[in-house]
Amino acid sequence: MAYGLEFYGANNQLIFDTDNFDGGQTLVITGSGSISNNSTFSAPANTLTFGRVTTGDLLGHTNSSGALTNRSGQTISYVSAEFTSSSTANITNAGTYGLEVFSSSGGLMFSTRKAASTVNFQAIYDKGDLTTNGAEVYDGTTSDVYVSIDYMYYASLTSGTSYANGYNFTTSGITYKGLLSDDSIPGYPITAAIPNIGTLAVIKLRS
């Protein structure tokens, strides 16, 4: 008999599997801070980075070493997260409430009680899912909502500004920004949407 839980997406892709959850690991927040406009940020090893702005564009460029330069025209607030099983305590007053999954030998595979300082995934977009510049990625109040910023592309040339894996925040939603712009040939400007490069996630901090 198989033990555990598996969740699949609309395209039958495996999103979550407690068999590969390694001792009840949870994605937890391990750091936070801000990245000033035109400043460069290098994420700690083995972490995922999520960012947000209050309103307006969130744009940046990641170099070959993985360092991100903020090109938003404003400060980015970020959180760093990593999967861990050792540093997460149970939610205060969790008691016996929640979902726990055990292996055949009785070992804890997954627990919703261990969710202090964790994140709630609002949406996950596979590579190429977002094919339109301005596509909606999140609908709702954006307070405490963050988006993937581990890889971003931005190039400002005399012929135009292009970007991918960018976002625009309002107080009521987030849209995707990915656009190729080239007006190097007078009278024949070229614009085209750039789909998301790699997987992007939208998260909300648990409180």
Side-chain angles (χ1 to χ4, degrees), residues 122-123 125 135-143 145 147 172-175 202-204:
Q122 303 294 301
Y125 298 95
E136 180 182 275
V137 297
Y138 179 76
D139 180 22
T141 303
T142 54
S143 176
V145 175
V147 291
S172 59
I174 304 170
T175 54
V202 181
I203 67 167
K204 187 170 186 178

Side-chain angles (χ1 to χ4, degrees), residues 112-180:
T112 58
R113 299 175 191 171
K114 294 184 178 295
S117 300
T118 63
V119 303
N120 183 9
F121 281 90
Q122 303 294 301
I124 298 175
Y125 298 95
D126 291 335
K127 175 183 177 182
D129 278 353
L130 301 169
T131 58
T132 304
N133 182 46
E136 180 182 275
V137 297
Y138 179 76
D139 180 22
T141 303
T142 54
S143 176
D144 289 332
V145 175
Y146 290 74
V147 291
S148 300
I149 59 170
D150 286 298
Y151 181 80
M152 308 185 80
Y153 173 78
Y154 183 93
S156 181
L157 306 174
T158 56
S159 58
T161 300
S162 300
Y163 40 79
N165 286 20
Y167 310 87
N168 180 268
F169 276 68
T170 69
T171 57
S172 59
I174 304 170
T175 54
Y176 172 74
K177 290 182 71 72
L179 186 70
L180 169 67

Side-chain angles (χ1 to χ4, degrees), residues 42-104:
S42 295
N46 303 315
T47 63
L48 300 174
T49 307
F50 302 90
R52 62 168 279 106
V53 295
T54 303
T55 58
D57 289 343
L58 195 169
L59 300 169
H61 183 76
T62 306
N63 66 20
S64 58
S65 300
L68 172 68
T69 300
N70 178 6
R71 299 299 189 198
S72 305
Q74 60 179 318
T75 298
I76 297 173
S77 299
Y78 76 87
V79 293
S80 298
E82 65 178 302
F83 285 100
T84 179
S85 57
S86 59
S87 63
T88 44
N90 283 6
I91 300 174
T92 303
N93 300 322
T96 58
Y97 291 89
L99 171 67
E100 293 190 320
V101 179
F102 294 86
S103 66
S104 58

